[in-house]
Amino acid sequence: MTNETTRTYDVIVIGAGPVGENVAERARAAGLSTVIVERELLGGECSFWACDPSKALLRPVVARADASRVPGLNPAVAGPLDVEAVLAHRDRMSSYWKDEDQVDWLDSVSVDLIRGHGRLTGPKQVAVQTPEGNTVRLTARHAVAVSTGTRAALPPIPGLDTVRPWTSREATSAAKVPGRLAVVGGGVVAVEMATAWQALGSQVTMLVLEDGLLQRMEPFAGELVTDGLREAGVDIRFNTTVTSLTREGGEAGEVRITLSDGGLLAADEILLATGRAPQTGDVGLETVGLTPGDWLTVDDTFRVTGVDGGWLYAVGDVNRRALMTHQGKYQARIAGTVIGARAKGEPLDDAPWGAHAATADHTAVPQVVFTTPEVASVGLTSHEAERSGRRVEVVDYDLARVAGAHQYGEDYRGQARMLVDTDRNTVVGVTFAGPGVGELVHSATIAVAGEVPLDRLWHAVPAFPTLGEVWLRLLETHRG
């Protein structure tokens, strides 16, 4: 027999990944009673199947590549990685796929937790089916926030359902190294996982539909990452489509991959890194006039458009504004504050760059790709600037010419690009590609988000000899 209970809170959050956790914490900090609903692990995709485990796999790879360029260190790191130690480190960084620490944190900020599958059942109404088979019916006085994130989007390849493909989840949590790994895709997940598993001992083959990697970034970024992967031994095949799949010899058998050119490829595992889709297929959107499975469109305060009453919010990847954990947490801080202000009847500061508007989503989204070499970017690319009609000057500089690059390692290769809005004399986009450039991205983010005039940026003196000296060289190049 099913037991049913009813509870009322000021705010209900569906989804307890980093984004949902931050929405709940900000709402609670505003004095609102808050409950969060989660059907898997608290901490979500980022903590257990994305950011944390993937970077744990990649850190030894990147560190070894950097050390191999340093005189006196290169012989010491010439051997293979200790696979067992790397995987053990990955397991620790993923908290062994247990979420007790996350539960303790929720307790510390006085947010209630209900484990189970939460679904909207009408305006401000959520029903939770618990693992025990019970139903908890929740009512929100002020707001419901959907923070259910995304799932892997799999292409309709004949035979796909018979081969048990890897998605990003399996790629970050696998317990052993496959002898041969096929990676379908050319975006961030594809290049990072190709980097990690090749270094751990797989023979990786990348099957890329487009004619280059990292197509949403500046072309030189993809070109340098392509060179790095090929030097590591990865076989990259561009303009290639998978037309069918089979797994021969049962569950432990090899995957047979038929390609668009008629060729065949055999692999022990195949990773499909072909994009993301919203986790909205079974959260009750139809009960509030929305379409299940759709992305949730929001305004800059994260209210879902097309829903009467302004009580429904969508925060994080599910709104498709910027599919990165750090940007989702930025959204969450704003959304939680907005919900608190509206509940108290306080005026909103929702003008661009105001406390209650997610302006950075449009103009200053930072990203780091943890490959060898790394890629870091924020703001517009030259293609995006051209498409938007902005008048920009493209300023390029060879990172290898910076003194800090010579100190960083021998045979340093890298590139920097700065986009200058010539009407406003501000930086609107920056891309770096090269070893160690991930640590440059926040300075670029400050320049873009702060709309710092170049005349003032000239007075921000970089320390010598660091990679950050590239800022001086870019400004000198701009000045001519």
Side-chain angles (χ1 to χ4, degrees):
M1 181 176 178
T2 300
N3 292 319
E4 188 169 302
T5 58
T6 302
R7 304 182 197 174
T8 299
Y9 289 88
D10 292 326
V11 180
I12 303 167
V13 180
I14 305 175
V19 175
E21 289 175 329
N22 275 267
V23 174
E25 189 273 334
R26 286 290 85 204
R28 189 69 191 92
L32 304 180
S33 63
T34 305
V35 64
I36 195 164
V37 179
E38 177 55 57
R39 63 188 178 90
E40 291 191 296
L41 295 172
L42 275 71
E45 208 74 16
C46 180
S47 297
F48 299 105
W49 300 286
C51 320
D52 287 340
S54 68
K55 276 48 187 187
L57 290 173
L58 286 159
R59 178 58 191 150
V61 181
V62 174
R64 182 177 66 168
D66 287 346
S68 69
R69 298 185 186 92
V70 179
L73 272 180
N74 41 7
V77 297
L81 292 171
D82 183 335
V83 173
E84 185 176 339
V86 172
L87 296 182
H89 171 61
R90 184 272 317 271
D91 294 351
R92 286 193 299 273
M93 293 301 294
S94 303
S95 300
Y96 304 100
W97 292 275
K98 297 178 181 178
D99 62 3
E100 288 91 342
D101 289 346
Q102 306 274 358
V103 174
D104 290 343
W105 178 82
L106 272 187
D107 288 342
S108 75
V109 296
S110 301
V111 171
D112 286 355
L113 166 66
I114 301 176
R115 292 190 183 270
H117 192 141
R119 298 177 180 87
L120 293 163
T121 57
K124 298 184 183 178
Q125 304 293 317
V126 174
V128 184
Q129 299 298 316
T130 72
E132 297 77 25
N134 299 322
T135 300
V136 181
R137 297 197 178 277
L138 302 174
T139 299
R141 296 187 186 92
H142 297 291
V144 177
V146 177
S147 298
T148 49
T150 59
R151 57 176 175 80
L154 302 182
I157 302 172
L160 179 63
D161 57 346
T162 68
V163 300
R164 295 178 294 101
W166 279 11
T167 66
S168 54
R169 283 198 168 196
E170 290 77 19
T172 55
S173 62
K176 65 178 183 178
V177 179
R180 299 162 298 174
L181 175 64
V183 177
V184 181
V188 175
V189 172
V191 296
E192 288 191 344
M193 291 298 93
T195 298
W197 290 107
Q198 179 73 28
L200 288 168
S202 287
Q203 174 52 59
V204 175
T205 302
M206 296 189 72
L207 306 172
V208 185
L209 178 63
E210 297 87 3
D211 59 2
L213 301 178
L214 301 175
Q215 292 280 286
R216 295 183 180 180
M217 307 186 89
E218 296 285 7
F220 66 79
E223 291 163 6
L224 283 166
V225 171
T226 298
D227 291 345
L229 286 166
R230 283 180 166 158
E231 288 169 11
V234 176
D235 177 8
I236 306 177
R237 306 183 190 184
F238 293 119
N239 302 304
T240 300
T241 304
V242 176
T243 58
S244 67
L245 297 167
T246 58
R247 188 179 284 274
E248 303 292 331
E251 290 191 1
E254 68 180 16
V255 179
R256 300 283 178 85
I257 306 163
T258 304
L259 306 176
S260 51
D261 62 4
L264 295 173
L265 177 68
D268 298 294
E269 301 291 351
I270 182 169
L271 164 61
L272 298 178
T274 49
R276 307 292 295 177
Q279 289 268 32
T280 60
D282 192 17
V283 293
L285 294 186
E286 67 280 2
T287 68
V288 294
L290 301 174
T291 303
D294 277 2
W295 300 95
L296 295 177
T297 303
V298 297
D299 63 20
D300 282 353
T301 69
F302 301 105
R303 272 180 167 169
V304 176
T305 59
V307 176
D308 293 338
W311 56 272
L312 184 62
Y313 293 74
V315 193
D317 285 5
V318 75
N319 62 38
R320 208 182 193 178
R321 288 165 65 107
L323 275 67
M324 282 164 276
T325 295
H326 50 270
Q327 209 69 20
K329 291 165 73 173
Y330 160 77
Q331 294 179 7
R333 293 190 293 271
I334 290 173
T337 304
V338 164
I339 291 168
R342 284 184 171 140
K344 297 173 183 177
E346 298 173 351
L348 294 190
D349 177 12
D350 58 1
W353 303 114
H356 302 113
T359 313
D361 283 353
H362 305 296
T363 58
V365 176
Q367 181 174 18
V368 178
V369 185
F370 293 84
T371 44
T372 54
E374 290 179 343
V375 179
S377 68
V378 65
L380 299 176
T381 64
S382 50
H383 175 70
E384 290 167 341
E386 180 182 357
R387 191 174 57 194
S388 72
R390 281 179 184 261
R391 296 199 321 154
V392 300
E393 177 188 349
V394 178
V395 183
D396 287 330
Y397 196 81
D398 181 356
L399 259 168
R401 295 170 58 194
V402 175
H406 295 290
Q407 295 286 357
Y408 200 91
E410 294 179 325
D411 300 320
Y412 188 103
R413 283 178 289 168
Q415 181 73 25
R417 172 167 291 178
M418 177 177 71
L419 304 183
V420 177
D421 184 322
T422 55
D423 293 324
R424 304 185 64 207
N425 201 38
T426 59
V427 180
V428 293
V430 184
T431 300
F432 303 111
V437 299
E439 298 304 325
L440 294 175
V441 74
H442 194 56
S443 59
T445 304
I446 291 170
V448 174
E451 299 177 337
V452 182
L454 264 64
D455 291 344
R456 176 58 63 88
L457 200 57
W458 181 256
H459 294 281
V461 182
F464 179 89
T466 65
L467 290 175
E469 196 183 11
V470 69
W471 280 105
L472 173 59
R473 304 306 172 206
L474 286 167
L475 293 170
E476 287 175 335
T477 303
H478 168 65
R479 287 190 166 197

